[in-house]
Each structure stands twice: as C-alpha cells, then as structure tokens.
Amino acid sequence: MRKRYTAADLGVFTREEATRFVPRGDGDPRNDVVLAWELLYRLEPELYDRLSRAERLHPGILGWLPCGVDRIAEVGAGTGRLTMELLDRGRSVVAVEPALALRRILRRKLAAADHGDRVRVVHGFFDQLPLPDDFADLVVACSAFTPAPGHGGEAGLAEMERVCRPGGCVAIIWPNHLGWLATRGYRHVSFPGAMSVEFGSYQEAVELAEIFYPKAADEVRRLGRRTVPFEVVGINPPRDLAFKVLALTGGKGRGRR
Ligand SMILES: C[S@@+](CC[C@H](N)C(=O)[O-])C[C@H]1O[C@@H](n2cnc3c(N)ncnc32)[C@H](O)[C@@H]1O
C-alpha cells in the first residue's frame, strides 16, 4: 500500500477532504499509510470493496447490535460492510460517507437489496455530521473512527454523541484505540473464537495479500486456501466494539462542537 500512490495523487481530494487528510498541504502517501488508504478509497474503490468483503465482522458484533430501533446513523459507511447489516434493524438508516467513489458503490448495493430504500446515503465527516441533535437511537462507526482529528478525534466523538438521542447508544466497531475510548466512558466488548479473512478464491487471496498484507503473501501462497487466519495476515480481527449508552437526562453537553 505504501508504494501504490504518490504525492501527485493528492489532487483527488476535495478541499474539505484535504483540510482533514493533508492539513499542512504536504503529505506523502509513501510515508503515511493512513493517507494511502484515503487515496485507495477514491482511486480504487472497487479494490477496497473486495478487501472489506473478505474481512467480515464477527457474527457476535452483528448479534450485539440493537434491533427494531427507529433511526440509525452510521458514519464512515464506506461500501457498506456494516450498512447492509443495518437494513433490518432500524426503521431508517442514514449512512454518512465522505468519499464519493465509496458512496456510489454503497448506493449500487442498496439499490440491489431488499429494503435498500430505508437507507439515505449522504456526504459528511465525523467532525461535522449533517444530522440534527438527538437524531438517532444508534450512532455507529465501523473501522472508521480514530482519535486523530482527521478521522474523528474529540470533535468527531462529540458529534456522534450530539446526534444520538438521550438513552441511545454510540458504538465504535473494530476500534483501534480502546484506552482512548475508555477514558471517555466507552465500554469494551470482545467476541471470542477463531477468525479468518474469507477471500472469494485462492487467487484473490494471493492478489489481495500482495497488496494489503505483503509480509504474509508467501504464507498465503503456501496455505493454498481462500480462507486465511487473521493471525497469518497480521492484523487484529474485527471482533471488538466499544460503546456508550447516553444518559437519559442532563449529560450531553449541548453545544459542545
Ligand atoms: C476502513 S474504511 C471502513 C468503511 C466501512 N465502515 C467498512 O467497515 O468497510 C474507513 C472509512 O472511513 C471514512 N472516513 C475517513 N475519514 C473520515 C471522516 N473524517 N469522517 C467520516 N468518515 C471518514 C472513509 O472514507 C472510509 O469509508
């Protein structure tokens, strides 16, 4: 991934995106893998979608999420790894996603899905959600929120809590900074059991491993299978979530934006 893009590709960002992802204006995706991922979403969105289809969430996470709620807001929805699982859980879902190329893929999937009309896909960022106060019963992000200001941070977490109704739940799925979230009142749940990346075929496993987990590519070839344990690819499996149920009265700090 670090070699895939160069600084010349940064021109794909809109002004709003550049403010968040290259705030000093001089980023280099060869030295900054987070920036390389943002370029992937915009330059090769179908490639990202293939990876996210293979890295499936632990079924315990899907079982844990509330059912039968009125409104759900998802932030950083991408191509819908989680969004597609939310369709039957809420009367309506708003999927917020900044990258136009990912929104297009998500809309295509929703158009093909039963009840896809319950979902509105909108442009937006963690730190400026285009939703009113107390909007949703569940506000969720999957593999998207980090403490870094460009990818959420304090302002992003405050925004997620602002749009969550009192008594509702804010959930961060596949969190990467549990300690940071714990100090902000988030509890941790982890679901046990072996987990594998489930590629569509052995050929796809090799192709995507060379791009996304190059250190594991030889081992993926040696295994000769389409399913590869997460320990082999060397990333933590999507088995965790952090959540906070907001107080019913008084504690939201209205206007904290
Ligand atoms: C690893 S992808 C995860 C996408 C999807 N949730 C999934 O699980 O496949 C990270 C997502 O966060 C989005 N993202 C990055 N920065 C963001 C920001 N500041 N506000 C909202 N979304 C952001 C990206 O565009 C991308 O869709």
Side-chain angles (χ1 to χ4, degrees):
M1 272 294 282
R2 280 184 191 273
K3 294 193 187 135
R4 211 163 173 85
Y5 311 111
T6 70
D9 293 313
L10 298 178
V12 73
F13 289 137
T14 64
R15 200 163 49 81
E16 279 182 301
E17 289 167 350
T19 308
R20 287 162 176 94
F21 305 140
V22 271
R24 294 192 314 274
D26 61 349
D28 181 354
R30 291 177 177 238
N31 299 322
D32 180 348
V33 76
V34 176
L35 196 50
W37 280 88
E38 290 302 331
L39 291 172
L40 170 73
Y41 305 144
R42 290 156 179 87
L43 296 172
E44 299 181 280
E46 301 285 351
L47 179 61
Y48 173 70
D49 186 47
R50 287 169 65 205
L51 178 72
S52 70
R53 281 174 192 263
E55 294 179 343
R56 294 185 195 166
L57 301 176
H58 192 297
I61 290 180
L62 304 173
W64 181 93
L65 289 168
C67 278
V69 298
D70 190 21
R71 287 197 283 230
I72 300 175
E74 184 190 357
V75 189
T79 60
R81 169 172 29 202
L82 178 67
T83 325
M84 303 309 289
E85 306 287 347
L86 298 174
L87 298 185
D88 292 329
R89 289 169 191 277
R91 195 175 54 80
S92 69
V93 179
V94 178
V96 179
E97 169 53 48
L100 173 62
L102 300 186
R103 290 201 303 277
R104 283 191 176 133
I105 294 177
L106 177 53
R107 287 199 178 107
R108 187 180 74 208
K109 286 186 189 176
L110 289 166
D114 270 355
H115 309 308
D117 53 342
R118 286 190 195 158
V119 184
R120 194 156 55 91
V121 181
V122 300
H123 170 265
F125 296 92
F126 278 110
D127 58 349
Q128 216 172 1
L129 293 175
L131 298 170
D133 293 355
D134 303 345
F135 173 77
D137 305 278
L138 172 67
V139 182
V140 62
C142 175
S143 182
F145 181 89
T146 82
H151 294 87
E154 297 288 1
L157 201 62
E159 274 290 85
M160 291 182 80
E161 293 185 12
R162 176 185 67 77
V163 305
C164 186
R165 70 160 171 81
C169 179
V170 177
I172 309 288
I173 291 172
W174 209 1
N176 71 346
H177 288 78
L178 282 168
W180 189 92
L181 288 166
T183 59
R184 284 149 185 87
Y186 282 71
R187 290 162 61 192
H188 175 211
V189 187
S190 185
F191 298 94
M195 288 187 74
S196 291
V197 188
E198 298 182 35
F199 298 100
S201 63
Y202 167 65
Q203 287 74 15
E204 181 173 69
V206 172
E207 181 196 347
L208 296 191
E210 279 169 354
I211 298 169
F212 295 106
Y213 332 108
K215 288 185 186 147
D218 284 345
E219 182 62 7
V220 170
R221 263 189 229 95
R222 198 191 63 74
L223 284 173
R225 300 197 307 255
R226 77 170 187 88
T227 57
V228 181
F230 271 92
E231 303 88 76
V232 171
V233 300
I235 60 171
N236 70 316
R239 62 162 89 254
D240 297 278
L241 62 86
F243 75 98
K244 186 195 243 182
V245 175
L246 298 193
L248 274 170
T249 51
K252 282 190 67 180
R254 197 58 81 234
R256 230 170 9 119
R257 296 185 60 174

